[in-house]
Structure formats: structure tokens, C-alpha cells
């Protein structure tokens, strides 16, 4: 979707980010549904730019965000009621990946 303007990319990313948060809020007890919806949101967010840099950024957030949370969970900063690996829910890496893309777009749009 390289034909989208900066503003359109920002709006679509913002809507998908809101949808990401609402998905986690409303379906937090259904890991499979969360995982399915969030992976779809992630693919759509990456397709907005359609370049390898945004994919790398997504996977950096996908890996580093949950690892940082795992450290905090290990030391007792917080805990999740529904956990899967390293003390966090299975869908959490997708949330972090989507957040990384959103922050990139926020900085790009505000330049």
C-alpha cells in the first residue's frame, strides 16, 4: 500500500492500534482469539508500508518488548493471570510489535 499518504498511513495505523488495545481488553481470557485478531492486525500494519524495515521493526518489538516484560515479571514488578511463556500471555509479542510500528509512525508523522 505504498500509494497511501503519510496522513492516511498514520490514521490507518492509529485505528489498528486502537483495535489492538480493544482486542486485548475485550478478549483477554481467550488467547486463541486474541492471537488470531492481533496477528491479523500486525500483518495489516506491516502491509501499510510494505517494506522490510517496518517488518524488522515489528520483530524487534515482538522480541524485545516481551523479553523486557519477562525480566520485570521475574523480579516481581507485576504478573499476568493468563500466562503462557516466561510469565506473559502468548499474544503479548504481537501487541509489542504493533506498538513499535505505531511509535515509528508517530515519530514520522510529527517530524
Amino acid at each position: 500500500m505504498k500509494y497511501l499518504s503519510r496522513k492516511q498511513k498514520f490514521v490507518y495505523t492509529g485505528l489498528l492500534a486502537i483495535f489492538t488495545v480493544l482486542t486485548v481488553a475485550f478478549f483477554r481470557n481467550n488467547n486463541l482469539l486474541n492471537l488470531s485478531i492481533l496477528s491479523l492486525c500486525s500483518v495489516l500494519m506491516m502491509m501499510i508500508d510494505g517494506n522490510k524495515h517496518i517488518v524488522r521493526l515489528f520483530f524487534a518489538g515482538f522480541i524485545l518488548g516481551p523479553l523486557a516484560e519477562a525480566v520485570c515479571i521475574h523480579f516481581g514488578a507485576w504478573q499476568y493471570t493468563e500466562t503462557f511463556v516466561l510469565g506473559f500471555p502468548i499474544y503479548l509479542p504481537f501487541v509489542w510489535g504493533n506498538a513499535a510500528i505505531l511509535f515509528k509512525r508517530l515519530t514520522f508523522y510529527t517530524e
Side-chain angles (χ1 to χ4, degrees):
M1 291 193 225
K2 292 186 179 198
Y3 56 90
L4 296 175
S5 69
R6 279 173 53 167
K7 185 175 183 177
Q8 288 172 319
K9 289 178 182 182
F10 178 74
V11 168
Y12 290 141
T13 301
L15 290 173
L16 286 167
I18 291 168
F19 195 67
T20 295
V21 171
L22 292 176
T23 298
V24 172
F26 290 122
F27 305 117
R28 68 183 172 278
N29 295 324
N30 189 336
N31 285 331
L32 185 58
L33 183 60
N34 250 335
L35 188 61
S36 301
I37 294 172
L38 292 174
S39 60
L40 177 63
C41 285
S42 299
V43 168
L44 291 173
M45 286 179 110
M46 287 185 275
M47 285 177 58
I48 289 172
D49 274 334
N51 65 44
K52 62 184 175 185
H53 302 292
I54 208 76
V55 174
R56 287 183 193 148
L57 177 66
F58 171 82
F59 282 109
F62 185 94
I63 294 167
L64 297 176
L67 282 177
E69 285 211 26
V71 170
C72 294
I73 290 167
H74 175 75
F75 288 105
W78 63 81
Q79 63 184 7
Y80 289 98
T81 55
E82 299 282 329
T83 63
F84 183 71
V85 176
L86 298 176
F88 57 81
I90 190 171
Y91 57 81
L92 191 64
F94 291 94
V95 175
W96 275 102
N98 291 353
I101 293 173
L102 174 66
F103 292 139
K104 164 93 166 93
R105 298 256 165 72
L106 284 172
T107 58
F108 186 73
Y109 187 72
T110 57
E111 288 178 342

